[in-house]
Amino acid sequence: MIHAVFLTVQLLFWGWLVRGLAKMPSKAPERGASPPPPVSIVVCARDEADNLWAHLPGWLAQRGLSEWELIVVDDASSDGTAEVLAEFGQRFPMLRVLRLGPDAPRPWAGKKNALAAGVSAARHGLVLLTDTDCAVGPDWAVRMVAAFGPETDLVLGYGPYAERPGPLTRWIRFETLWTAIQYLSFAR
């Protein structure tokens, strides 16, 4: 009985935290709406050749944007990342590759250097960030931009883990959802 009370209290608490979170529009804006502003999409990659092969086509297939660029920051990769980016770069003029060598200054640990370099290189004031393991649809950027308004400085999105059979995938999907609830609630 006491467990049910604690569970109810916890569910009410999380419901209170999550309520009112803005949701990303479920579909792209209607035709005839004002065109979205120019946007830069930044992706950081370190030894991500396989993920780039899988997900670059989705990022490069964005539609509904009048002016945009995709910046992939190659952060001292030692696999085939440079070759993948070179091949796609020949076919897609909106793809810009920024290479950080192993001897590049690194004032921060981890991905922060690549992220800072990519955002600094962005030509547009509106910057969208995603990871190399995220699959996006052709209207992803337009939907993200549609969530901005006159009073909005930051939009957070959520990418669920792909559904596959097995208990490990169910656990990963649960953990991903739980993390998203916490981050979005804390951001609120």
Side-chain angles (χ1 to χ4, degrees), residues 117-188:
V119 171
S120 295
R123 294 182 179 142
H124 307 298
L126 191 56
V127 178
L128 301 179
L129 307 172
T130 188
D131 284 326
T132 55
D133 59 350
C134 292
V136 300
D139 296 320
W140 171 76
V142 171
R143 291 190 337 233
M144 290 297 290
V145 170
F148 279 92
E151 301 294 321
T152 307
D153 293 326
L154 177 70
V155 173
L156 295 176
Y158 164 68
Y161 194 80
E163 186 172 353
R164 294 190 177 101
L168 179 60
T169 300
R170 284 193 293 275
W171 173 255
I172 291 170
R173 292 183 74 220
F174 166 76
E175 192 273 334
T176 302
L177 175 63
W178 184 249
T179 301
I181 289 170
Q182 290 177 329
Y183 274 93
L184 295 173
S185 299
F186 296 150
R188 181 174 171 252

Side-chain angles (χ1 to χ4, degrees), residues 11-144:
L11 289 174
L12 289 172
F13 172 75
W14 282 108
W16 173 78
L17 270 178
V18 173
R19 84 179 190 325
L21 287 175
K23 290 185 178 181
M24 190 164 77
S26 60
K27 60 181 183 176
E30 299 295 323
R31 290 192 181 265
S34 61
V39 66
S40 296
I41 302 170
V42 176
V43 180
C44 301
R46 183 175 196 146
D47 295 333
E48 295 283 357
D50 291 341
N51 279 328
L52 290 172
W53 272 120
H55 301 297
L56 263 175
W59 300 324
L60 292 166
Q62 295 303 301
R63 60 185 179 208
L65 298 169
S66 56
E67 188 178 346
W68 67 285
E69 65 180 344
L70 171 64
I71 301 171
V72 179
V73 182
D74 180 0
D75 189 10
S77 295
S78 58
D79 66 349
T81 296
E83 292 79 12
V84 172
L85 293 172
E87 184 170 328
F88 277 94
Q90 292 173 356
R91 295 183 292 169
F92 296 95
M94 75 284 292
L95 174 60
R96 292 180 48 211
V97 178
L98 181 60
R99 287 190 177 78
L100 301 180
D103 57 343
R106 301 199 180 273
W108 304 293
K111 191 194 265 188
K112 294 176 188 172
N113 297 304
L115 188 57
V119 171
S120 295
R123 294 182 179 142
H124 307 298
L126 191 56
V127 178
L128 301 179
L129 307 172
T130 188
D131 284 326
T132 55
D133 59 350
C134 292
V136 300
D139 296 320
W140 171 76
V142 171
R143 291 190 337 233
M144 290 297 290

